[in-house]
Amino acid sequence: MNNFNNVVPVTETAINGKLQQTVSAKQLHSFLSVGRDFSTWIKSRIDEYALNQNEDYLIFDSPVLVNQSTNIEQCKTKRGGDRRSIDYVLTINTAKELAMIENNEQGRAIRKYFIRCEAQLKQIAPSIQKKELKRLKARIEVANYSRPMCDALTLQRLSQGKETKPHHYTNEFNMINGIVLGVSSGNYKKANNISGNIRDQFNEATLNHLAYLEKTNITLIEIGFNYEQRKAKLIELSNRYLTQQLAQAA
C-alpha cells in the first residue's frame, strides 16, 4: 500500500461540507496509463458517467494549497491560478469507478488499494469521531467562558467610569490567544493561512488551555487587575499549567 500511496496519495478534502477521502485525478490518470491526454480523459469521463461537481469531484486551479480556487471562471481566465495546473480532486468512490472503467491491470490494482484505504478509515473512524467530540466539547467550554469574561470587563470599566468598546473585548481575546500560541493572533492566522475565528482550528489540548486562562481571567478582572497585571499573571499561570500537563503526560 505504501508504494501506491507514493504514486496516488489518498488525502482528505472537504466536499459539500463533508470531509472525504480523495485523490488527484491527474495522478490517477498518470498511473492508469490512459492513452488520452488528461484534459480529454477527465472531461469525457465526467460526461459519460454524469459525475457531479462538488459531489463527486472538485476542480482546483493550482497544486499549491494557498493558491487553490474552485471557481471555474478563474481557471478559464487565469485569475487565481495558472490554467495549466488545473486538477480534479476525486472522491475515492469516483476514483474506484474510473479505475474499474479502464479495465486494465493498473486499474484493478489501484481499485483494490482504494478499497483497502476505505477499510482502514472505517476501522479508525470511531476513534476519530470520539476525538472530534472531545474537541467540540472543549470548544463549547471556551465559548461558555467568553461571554462572562466580556461581562466582567464591561463591569470593571463601568466601575472606573470608562466606556467599553469592541476593541477592548478583542484585545482581551487576542491577549489570551497570544499567550497560548506564543505569537499574536494575526501572525498565527497569516502563517497558517486561516480565515475566520482561529479558535475553530484549535485542537482539544489548546482549547482546554484557553478555557483555563479565560476562566482565570474572569476572576482577575473581578478582583481589579488591570490589563498589564492580568497579562503578566496569565503568562505565569499558563507556564505553570503547561508544566503540569507535561508532568501528567510523562
Side-chain angles (χ1 to χ4, degrees):
M1 183 177 291
N2 289 335
N3 291 335
F4 280 124
N5 196 47
N6 291 333
V7 179
V8 188
V10 174
T11 58
E12 289 187 334
T13 306
I15 297 181
N16 200 19
K18 181 180 179 182
L19 196 62
Q20 300 190 51
Q21 288 183 303
T22 56
V23 300
S24 159
K26 274 190 173 180
Q27 291 172 329
L28 178 62
H29 170 267
S30 177
F31 178 81
L32 291 174
S33 299
V34 178
R36 291 183 287 174
D37 67 273
F38 171 71
S39 180
T40 302
W41 173 75
I42 190 63
K43 289 177 181 178
S44 67
R45 290 309 190 204
I46 288 172
D47 290 339
E48 288 172 32
Y49 297 95
L51 302 179
N52 297 314
Q53 187 175 355
N54 298 323
E55 182 178 338
D56 301 308
Y57 67 92
L58 294 177
I59 298 177
F60 285 133
D61 68 343
S62 171
V64 181
L65 182 61
V66 294
N67 291 332
Q68 285 178 350
S69 169
T70 56
N71 187 318
I72 297 179
E73 291 306 312
Q74 286 186 354
C75 298
K76 291 178 180 178
T77 60
K78 296 188 180 181
R79 287 181 284 116
D82 185 341
R83 192 177 188 279
R84 292 170 297 176
S85 64
I86 290 176
D87 194 4
Y88 293 68
V89 176
L90 310 172
T91 66
I92 201 164
N93 281 333
T94 301
K96 283 193 302 182
E97 185 175 356
L98 296 186
M100 182 175 62
I101 291 165
E102 293 306 318
N103 194 29
N104 59 20
E105 287 300 320
Q106 294 96 322
R108 285 187 284 273
I110 200 70
R111 182 174 178 273
K112 289 180 180 178
Y113 159 65
F114 292 150
I115 291 172
R116 291 200 297 272
C117 287
E118 287 183 307
Q120 285 187 348
L121 179 62
K122 288 179 181 178
Q123 290 176 354
I124 65 173
S127 62
I128 292 175
Q129 183 182 34
K130 184 177 180 180
K131 182 178 180 180
E132 179 57 24
L133 286 173
K134 291 175 70 176
R135 193 200 73 82
L136 180 59
K137 181 180 178 181
R139 181 68 182 93
I140 292 172
E141 184 178 12
V142 170
N144 286 341
Y145 286 127
S146 297
R147 182 72 261 173
M149 186 176 71
C150 290
D151 290 342
L153 184 62
T154 301
L155 289 174
Q156 184 198 57
R157 293 181 62 82
L158 185 63
S159 69
Q160 298 169 347
K162 298 178 180 178
E163 180 184 0
T164 306
K165 296 184 177 180
H167 74 268
H168 291 117
Y169 303 122
T170 301
N171 289 344
E172 212 70 21
F173 288 116
N174 285 341
M175 173 186 68
I176 294 177
N177 287 343
I179 292 172
V180 171
L181 298 173
V183 296
S184 70
S185 297
N187 287 339
Y188 184 85
K189 290 177 73 171
K190 184 176 180 180
N192 293 277
N193 194 36
I194 294 174
S195 60
N197 192 331
I198 60 174
R199 294 183 170 195
D200 292 333
Q201 309 298 322
F202 292 163
N203 60 27
E204 181 193 358
T206 302
L207 290 169
N208 286 336
H209 191 180
L210 278 171
Y212 166 73
L213 292 184
E214 283 197 354
K215 181 180 179 181
T216 304
N217 196 40
I218 294 171
T219 301
L220 296 179
I221 293 171
E222 290 175 342
I223 63 178
F225 277 42
N226 63 33
Y227 178 87
E228 293 301 330
Q229 290 172 327
R230 292 198 302 275
K231 183 176 181 180
K233 190 62 177 178
L234 289 173
I235 290 173
E236 175 190 336
L237 293 174
S238 175
N239 291 333
R240 187 183 303 172
Y241 173 88
L242 291 174
T243 300
Q244 291 173 346
Q245 294 301 306
L246 288 173
Q248 291 175 7

